[in-house]
């Protein structure tokens, strides 16, 4: 079976992410299944971020870049939301912050490997203290545990898949609610579908370990496309209301 490099996987994820956001912007136009289909996107970006940590020449710079884009998007969201408030159109997404937090946590674990004594213990404690902050970020309840599994079991796919499977079961139990009919229950699960992050695993197994296209375009494509398409969709919603 053909395998994909990181750039090819990012393009697949970007396309499906756009489909999901088109559904949320225009739910009467696009089908509801766009949402559950897209649940692999954020975990796949997390997986590629963890892989990127081991290929980048400057781990701190990588982390600061993510935090920088997270702040940029918060400012952009604030401006957009103020401008579109009269028709109650708003953008609340900021996956950059979730990725930046997850990367900061595993970076601290990485730095602890090169430290000893009190410094080593301090870095580990700080990393653990940061983990609960994930509940305040977009999708953090799924993506921060996913980040840790991807990081700690990077060299052991079997253990990683066991970890993802345990997380899947826990999230499914948390998401499940019994409705009057089976169809209503399925519809609920398709909306509260974070447990479907597990659909990222086949894409991860198809990763060939290569970056693919590696230039400024490929480096900044996601950083630019992600906020830009959300802001454009919000403006279109406002214009069509």
């Amino acid at each position: 079976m053909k395998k994909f490099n990181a750039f090819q996987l990012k393009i697949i994820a970007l396309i499906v992410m756009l489909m999901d956001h088109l559904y949320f912007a225009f739910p009467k136009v696009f089908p509801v299944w766009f949402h559950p289909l897209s649940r692999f996107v954020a975990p796949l970006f997390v997986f590629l971020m963890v892989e990127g940590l081991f290929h980048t020449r400057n781990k701190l710079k990588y982390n600061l870049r993510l935090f920088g884009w997270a702040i940029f998007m918060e400012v952009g969201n604030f401006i957009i939301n103020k401008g579109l408030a009269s028709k109650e159109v708003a953008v609340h997404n900021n996956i950059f912050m979730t990725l930046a937090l997850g990367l900061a946590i595993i970076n601290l674990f990485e730095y602890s490997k090169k430290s000893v004594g009190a410094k080593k213990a301090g870095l580990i404690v700080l990393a653990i203290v940061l983990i609960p902050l994930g509940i305040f970020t977009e999708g953090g309840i799924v993506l921060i545990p996913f980040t840790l599994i991807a990081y700690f079991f990077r060299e052991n796919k079997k253990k990683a898949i066991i970890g993802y499977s345990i997380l899947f079961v826990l999230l499914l139990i948390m998401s499940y609610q019994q409705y009057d009919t089976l169809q209503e229950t399925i519809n609920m699960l398709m909306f509260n579908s974070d447990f479907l992050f597990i659909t990222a695993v086949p894409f991860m197994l198809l990763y060939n370990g290569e970056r693919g296209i590696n230039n400024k375009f490929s480096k900044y494509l996601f950083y630019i496309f992600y906020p830009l398409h959300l802001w454009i969709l919000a403006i279109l919603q406002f214009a069509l209301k």
Side-chain angles (χ1 to χ4, degrees), residues 12 85 136 143 157 168 227:
I12 293 170
F136 301 108
L143 298 180
K157 288 183 179 179
F168 163 76

Side-chain angles (χ1 to χ4, degrees), residues 2-95:
K2 180 181 178 181
K3 291 198 171 186
F4 300 95
N5 59 48
F7 180 74
Q8 290 169 328
L9 289 174
K10 285 179 182 178
I11 293 299
I12 293 170
L14 285 176
I15 292 170
V16 179
M17 177 180 68
L18 175 60
M19 291 166 61
D20 181 40
H21 293 155
L22 281 168
Y23 162 70
F24 274 100
F26 308 106
K28 294 182 180 179
V29 177
F30 296 96
V32 67
W33 57 263
F34 274 15
H35 180 61
L37 176 68
S38 71
R39 295 306 83 199
F40 76 88
V41 171
L44 184 57
F45 275 117
V46 168
F47 169 74
L48 293 174
M49 177 192 73
V50 173
E51 287 296 309
L53 179 67
F54 292 94
H55 291 97
T56 186
R57 286 174 291 184
N58 191 322
K59 292 178 172 60
L60 179 59
K61 186 177 179 182
Y62 184 23
N63 218 148
L64 291 175
R65 182 166 66 244
L66 270 172
F67 273 117
W69 279 92
I71 293 169
F72 168 75
M73 188 158 188
E74 282 297 317
V75 173
N77 285 354
F78 177 80
I79 294 170
I80 286 286
N81 294 347
K82 282 290 184 182
L84 307 183
S86 63
K87 293 186 180 180
E88 299 182 338
V89 175
V91 177
H92 300 294
N93 309 66
N94 192 345
I95 203 68

Side-chain angles (χ1 to χ4, degrees), residues 168-196:
F168 163 76
V169 171
L170 290 174
L171 290 169
L172 179 58
I173 292 171
M174 291 169 60
S175 301
Y176 184 81
Q177 297 178 45
Q178 181 67 50
Y179 280 70
D180 293 336
T181 67
L182 177 61
Q183 187 59 53
E184 287 179 318
T185 302
I186 292 173
N187 290 342
M188 176 277 299
L189 287 173
M190 290 302 95
F191 188 77
N192 298 317
S193 54
D194 284 342
F195 64 93
L196 289 177

Side-chain angles (χ1 to χ4, degrees), residues 194-210:
D194 284 342
F195 64 93
L196 289 177
F197 81 89
I198 198 76
T199 56
V201 172
F203 292 95
M204 292 157 55
L205 295 176
L206 288 173
Y207 175 54
N208 63 13
E210 299 175 2

Side-chain angles (χ1 to χ4, degrees), residues 46-60 62 102-103 105-111 113-114 147-155 207 209 211:
V46 168
F47 169 74
L48 293 174
M49 177 192 73
V50 173
E51 287 296 309
L53 179 67
F54 292 94
H55 291 97
T56 186
R57 286 174 291 184
N58 191 322
K59 292 178 172 60
L60 179 59
Y62 184 23
L103 187 59
I105 292 168
I106 62 176
N107 248 333
L108 287 168
F109 283 120
E110 274 296 288
Y111 291 136
K113 294 177 181 178
K114 303 174 184 178
T147 303
L148 294 171
I149 295 168
Y151 170 71
F152 282 112
F153 301 129
R154 180 173 176 267
E155 300 294 338
Y207 175 54
R211 284 189 179 185

